[in-house]
Amino acid sequence: MGDADVSGAGAGPASGVQEQLSAFADAHAQMFDSALVQFKTLYGEARASLYADAMGFVHAVDLTERWLTALLAFHVALFLSIVATRHSTNAQGVLFLGIVIAIYTAEWLNGLGAARWESFAGQNYFDKHGVFMSVLWSAPLLGDAFLVIVLALRSTANLLVTVKRLELRQNRRAASSAAGQNRRAASSAAGPTNDRQKDD
């Protein structure tokens, strides 16, 4: 009977701790499930809102207007110029500088467009937040600037590889010429010794 009491007393606190841990785990699982449901809801709403805003922007912009066609043609021509001059460091530097200046002038161009849009556009695309200029002016230019940087890094990596190869070739030539000189020196030093041995 005493042993039964002791085992029952030992089981009581252990089972109480297990129940507390189980309740704690259940509470955390419920919190996690609730947070996951909220995240899915918010993500779905944000995605739907983003899609609606993007579609609204696409439908609001009339790409048949001449100045918008010219703007798109400018971006295509700039991209092709970057690709065509990828082996010319000077041309790439000039293009990169021009792109940076063009991005810097985006706010000024947006204000100028807002003031004079009636003379060249069918509607006012130039809002005070600069969404239109960001999407159709700055974003493509930033992409072009990133491309110039990637091409410059690629060119630098290729140059480093070329320099390293030349250095290895030069080291091999120096090692082979040093080995040849050592052989010649050894043979010339061995020559008089052999002559002396023959004379003896």
Side-chain angles (χ1 to χ4, degrees):
M1 185 171 178
D3 292 340
D5 292 341
V6 170
S7 64
S15 64
V17 170
Q18 287 177 348
E19 288 174 4
Q20 287 178 350
L21 288 174
S22 177
F24 183 73
D26 290 342
H28 275 282
Q30 288 176 355
M31 286 172 50
F32 179 76
D33 290 341
S34 174
L36 188 61
V37 168
Q38 288 179 355
F39 173 76
K40 285 181 178 177
T41 304
L42 291 173
Y43 175 73
E45 290 174 359
R47 189 172 64 174
S49 174
L50 181 64
Y51 179 77
D53 290 344
M55 287 298 101
F57 182 83
V58 168
H59 292 305
V61 175
D62 183 11
L63 293 175
T64 60
E65 293 188 32
R66 278 189 196 170
W67 72 278
L68 285 174
T69 306
L71 179 63
L72 295 177
F74 163 76
H75 285 307
V76 171
L78 180 60
F79 176 79
L80 293 176
S81 299
I82 291 169
V83 173
T85 61
R86 65 187 178 277
H87 299 300
S88 173
T89 307
N90 292 336
Q92 293 277 294
V94 169
L95 286 171
F96 185 77
L97 182 63
I99 289 168
V100 170
I101 291 171
I103 293 170
Y104 182 75
T105 61
E107 186 177 355
W108 176 77
L109 288 173
N110 188 60
L112 188 66
R116 302 186 178 174
W117 66 270
E118 293 172 343
S119 61
F120 61 90
Q123 58 179 315
N124 186 6
Y125 295 104
F126 307 96
D127 62 327
K128 63 179 180 179
H129 301 295
V131 174
F132 175 81
M133 288 297 289
S134 296
V135 172
L136 286 182
W137 180 255
S138 298
L141 290 174
L142 285 170
D144 291 336
F146 181 72
L147 178 61
V148 171
I149 291 170
V150 169
L151 291 173
L153 289 173
R154 182 171 171 258
S155 175
T156 303
N158 290 338
L159 185 62
L160 285 172
V161 169
T162 304
V163 168
K164 198 64 180 171
R165 282 181 183 159
L166 291 173
E167 185 182 346
L168 290 172
R169 276 187 208 156
Q170 189 176 5
N171 289 342
R172 272 192 230 123
R173 283 181 192 156
S176 64
S177 67
Q181 287 176 357
N182 289 340
R183 279 197 297 270
R184 275 189 241 109
S187 64
S188 64
T193 305
N194 290 338
D195 292 341
R196 274 193 229 109
Q197 288 174 355
K198 285 178 186 175
D199 292 339
D200 292 343

